[in-house]
Amino acid sequence: MIEEEVLSSKDDLLKLDRQLCFALYSGARGIIRMYRPILEKLDITYPQYLVLLVLWEYGQMNVRDMGEKLFLDSGTLTPLLKRMERQGIVLRERSIKDERTVLISLTDKGRMLKEEALSIPLQLANNLDIDRKEYETLMVALKRLIAKMNL
Amino acid sequence: MIEEEVLSSKDDLLKLDRQLCFALYSGARGIIRMYRPILEKLDITYPQYLVLLVLWEYGQMNVRDMGEKLFLDSGTLTPLLKRMERQGIVLRERSIKDERTVLISLTDKGRMLKEEALSIPLQLANNLDIDRKEYETLMVALKRLIAKMNL
DNA sequence: AGCAAAAATATTGTACACAATTATATGGAG
DNA sequence: CTCCATATAATTGTGTACAATATTTTTGCT
């Protein structure tokens, strides 16, 4: 009996239930799923929402800096930003100072979306039924983890 | 001064730094990025690794049950499992009892991969430099959150 | 038995992610 | 001033995610 437990303990490390990464992975997908119906009303996806968050907070920015904020590369951002440009919520223009860079900025439509977005954080918090303390605890733990990764 | 702070507090809710979802999203991607070089040696991706974890733990299973374990639908799983079949690590066969279902099982190659995978959890824990306690705390918090989502 | 509804998987189409490569522009060494 | 290493985006190719739809099989009902 005891031997059996000892023997099985190595296998336990591979149980799905014990995987921190799977908890993160499914947690992220789950919460993005909760954003979906809300963001659909603004006709944007979650990664597009992240781009807007950055632009609302910092204003005009080139692709590289945007990528540093979101941990995304040009392979992901270029087509994503082109879609947002087609929808008329951002502008993409080559910098005159440095023709290598492309500056991303908000259109009036993009700026106006912020008004509609102001209520989103609260909606999410309500839907998740999470209190301020639990929120902060999880946030701190996640940031400690992220800090340890070589992003 | 005070007014300004009050006025800006609403905006703060939209700051990237305050988004639990972004922390989850980038944390998940960051940790999957740490798995990549390790899983590359086994010639599998992270979602494929999850499929193997399920099969190693539970044995043969149909697509629906696999999807319930991983929160993935057939639209994602079917092509993923076909790729794994081409690589010779799983078998896909229509059930005789119920021709609607497709049973997924491990090949010898798939079973043998488990031996190589046994060291992965420890490698990850080391690379992340996370201790048992912090690990458990984060795990509990994440599971509480996931339980509140309607997956 | 016969048939409509439900169940399981597959397919189609869109949108990320990301590695690897390409194309263009800049800046500095000689 | 020229050339070359570096920097920045874009492109290409592969692999997920997921909504919506289609296909096939089973089940429940009369």
Side-chain angles (χ1 to χ4, degrees):
Chain A
M1 188 65 114
I2 289 174
E3 260 187 58
E4 201 173 299
E5 278 176 25
V6 171
L7 283 175
S8 68
S9 67
K10 217 176 187 178
D11 276 40
D12 284 355
L13 291 178
L14 289 180
K15 283 201 193 311
L16 194 62
D17 207 44
R18 296 276 302 265
Q19 307 300 313
L20 177 59
C21 187
F22 178 62
L24 273 170
Y25 164 78
S26 44
R29 284 170 44 230
I31 200 168
I32 288 174
R33 182 170 311 162
M34 299 183 69
Y35 270 92
R36 214 181 313 275
I38 297 174
L39 296 180
E40 228 161 47
K41 291 172 193 153
L42 313 192
D43 199 28
I44 56 177
T45 63
Y46 184 72
Q48 291 169 11
Y49 176 63
L50 293 179
V51 166
L52 288 179
L53 288 181
V54 171
L55 291 174
W56 288 333
E57 185 173 349
Y58 300 97
Q60 189 181 61
M61 177 174 302
N62 67 30
V63 175
R64 191 184 70 87
D65 291 342
M66 178 70 72
E68 248 165 48
K69 297 279 184 205
L70 301 180
F71 309 115
L72 292 171
D73 66 8
S74 71
T76 301
L77 284 175
T78 296
L80 192 159
L81 292 169
K82 281 184 176 176
R83 281 187 287 273
M84 294 179 79
E85 186 185 34
R86 269 205 304 277
Q87 293 182 242
I89 52 189
V90 304
L91 288 177
R92 299 168 59 247
E93 41 191 350
R94 287 273 162 195
S95 164
I96 300 170
K97 311 266 289 184
D98 183 345
E99 294 258 358
R100 287 172 303 183
T101 67
V102 169
L103 297 174
I104 311 300
S105 54
L106 288 162
T107 62
D108 284 344
K109 183 177 172 190
R111 258 184 297 278
M112 281 196 282
L113 282 176
K114 185 173 181 180
E115 300 308 315
E116 302 183 53
L118 283 173
S119 67
I120 293 180
L122 207 57
Q123 277 183 70
L124 253 289
N126 286 339
N127 290 350
L128 268 178
D129 185 34
I130 190 172
D131 64 33
R132 194 177 195 75
K133 178 146 183 213
E134 198 178 344
Y135 185 95
E136 293 300 340
T137 305
L138 187 49
M139 201 68 173
V140 167
L142 282 173
K143 286 191 176 177
R144 276 177 57 85
L145 186 72
I146 292 171
K148 287 180 187 165
M149 311 190 293
N150 348 310
L151 297 175
Chain B
M1 187 67 113
I2 289 175
E3 259 187 56
E4 200 174 300
E5 275 176 25
V6 170
L7 284 174
S8 69
S9 69
K10 218 176 188 179
D11 274 42
D12 285 354
L13 291 177
L14 289 181
K15 284 201 194 307
L16 193 61
D17 207 45
R18 296 276 302 264
Q19 306 300 315
L20 177 60
C21 187
F22 178 62
L24 274 170
Y25 164 78
S26 43
R29 284 170 45 230
I31 201 167
I32 288 175
R33 183 170 311 161
M34 300 184 68
Y35 271 91
R36 216 181 312 274
I38 298 173
L39 296 180
E40 229 162 46
K41 291 173 194 153
L42 311 191
D43 199 30
I44 56 176
T45 65
Y46 184 72
Q48 291 169 10
Y49 176 62
L50 293 179
V51 167
L52 288 179
L53 287 181
V54 171
L55 291 173
W56 289 332
E57 184 173 351
Y58 299 97
Q60 189 182 61
M61 176 175 302
N62 66 30
V63 175
R64 191 183 71 85
D65 291 342
M66 177 71 71
E68 249 165 47
K69 297 277 184 206
L70 301 180
F71 309 115
L72 291 171
D73 66 7
S74 72
T76 300
L77 284 174
T78 296
L80 191 159
L81 293 168
K82 281 185 176 176
R83 281 187 286 272
M84 294 179 79
E85 185 185 34
R86 269 204 304 276
Q87 294 182 240
I89 50 188
V90 303
L91 289 177
R92 299 169 59 248
E93 44 192 349
R94 288 272 162 197
S95 164
I96 300 170
K97 311 265 291 186
D98 182 343
E99 295 258 358
R100 287 172 303 181
T101 68
V102 169
L103 297 175
I104 311 300
S105 54
L106 289 162
T107 62
D108 284 343
K109 183 177 172 188
R111 258 183 297 278
M112 281 196 281
L113 282 176
K114 184 173 182 180
E115 300 308 314
E116 304 183 52
L118 282 174
S119 66
I120 292 181
L122 208 56
Q123 278 183 69
L124 253 289
N126 286 338
N127 291 350
L128 268 177
D129 184 34
I130 191 173
D131 64 32
R132 194 178 195 75
K133 180 150 183 208
E134 199 177 344
Y135 183 95
E136 293 301 339
T137 305
L138 188 49
M139 200 70 174
V140 168
L142 282 173
K143 286 191 177 177
R144 276 178 57 86
L145 186 72
I146 292 171
K148 286 179 187 165
M149 312 190 293
N150 349 310
L151 297 177

